[in-house]
Amino acid sequence: MRFKRAAFPGRDEREYRIAQGMDSAAALLVDGQLVAAAEEERFTREKHTGDFPIHAIRYCLKEAGITINQG
């Protein structure tokens, strides 16, 4: 994270911990436990997509048995 701090000074600490890559994905934790995780390419069959992972998000919510409106 030294590089991120040098390249992007003044950020919040959690912003330095955000991982960035080429693949869109989603993960869902409930009470600190991993419930579901998926890469978007599993649903679109497009390798290394940087698209918003709507299909992966829907999958994670379905696996957890919750809706987007619950919170």
Side-chain angles (χ1 to χ4, degrees), residues 3-67:
F3 166 78
K4 286 184 180 181
R5 285 191 180 95
F8 308 104
R11 303 283 181 165
D12 186 87
E13 187 61 30
R14 68 180 169 211
E15 290 178 290
Y16 293 122
R17 298 181 192 283
I18 295 173
Q20 296 175 341
M22 294 178 6
D23 300 332
S24 295
L28 181 64
L29 295 138
V30 175
D31 296 327
Q33 298 294 314
L34 181 65
V35 173
E39 286 189 2
E40 188 68 5
E41 73 178 49
R42 175 180 175 197
F43 306 97
T44 64
R45 303 292 187 232
E46 180 184 343
K47 290 284 196 184
H48 308 300
T49 180
D51 294 345
F52 186 78
I54 190 64
H55 299 96
I57 292 169
R58 287 180 180 149
Y59 167 81
C60 290
L61 291 172
K62 184 177 178 183
E63 284 296 301
I66 59 177
T67 68

